[in-house]
Amino acid sequence: MEPHNLFSNLPQHLPEELFETLLQGDGVRLERIVSHGHSTPHGEWYEQKWDEWVILLSGSASLKFENGEPHQLKPGDYLFIPAHRRHRVEATNKQEKSIWLALHLKPAGK
């Protein structure tokens, strides 16, 4: 099997965020997300049925939770988002691509 690189094969233009599944198994999925000035549409929230652990590898991002709790992320910052915790991406870097790894997990006890 050939090695892959998380910073390779990045499209020049990203009209929408890029979501790529890197690994998937029973109750777990690892995803690379590439953002470039993207955000969650105004008034919309993510509310997922699974737990999510996310790390920002490059760029910058601002996340907001429904309770108003903001998080400014820089490379190396990671965050655990429990299932059904409403959140949104307020902004991502417009000058450089923001590359994330997102680990989606079946909630404990499910």
Side-chain angles (χ1 to χ4, degrees), residues 17 38-40 45-46 52 54-56 60-73 77-81 86-92 100:
E17 282 183 299
H38 297 96
S39 62
T40 306
W45 296 90
Y46 291 113
E52 180 177 6
V54 64
I55 184 169
L56 187 67
S60 61
S62 174
L63 294 182
K64 184 176 182 179
F65 289 90
E66 187 175 37
N67 65 1
E69 181 184 354
H71 293 279
Q72 301 298 319
L73 302 177
D77 289 343
Y78 61 91
L79 190 57
F80 178 75
I81 306 168
R86 289 171 53 110
H87 63 285
R88 53 181 283 112
V89 177
E90 289 286 297
T92 58
W100 316 67

Side-chain angles (χ1 to χ4, degrees), residues 27-63:
V28 65
R29 180 169 46 96
L30 181 64
E31 184 174 60
R32 176 178 83 160
I33 303 168
V34 183
S35 309
H36 195 194
H38 297 96
S39 62
T40 306
H42 184 70
E44 291 185 22
W45 296 90
Y46 291 113
E47 185 175 354
Q48 303 158 163
K49 293 187 258 184
W50 53 83
D51 291 337
E52 180 177 6
W53 180 87
V54 64
I55 184 169
L56 187 67
L57 302 175
S58 69
S60 61
S62 174
L63 294 182

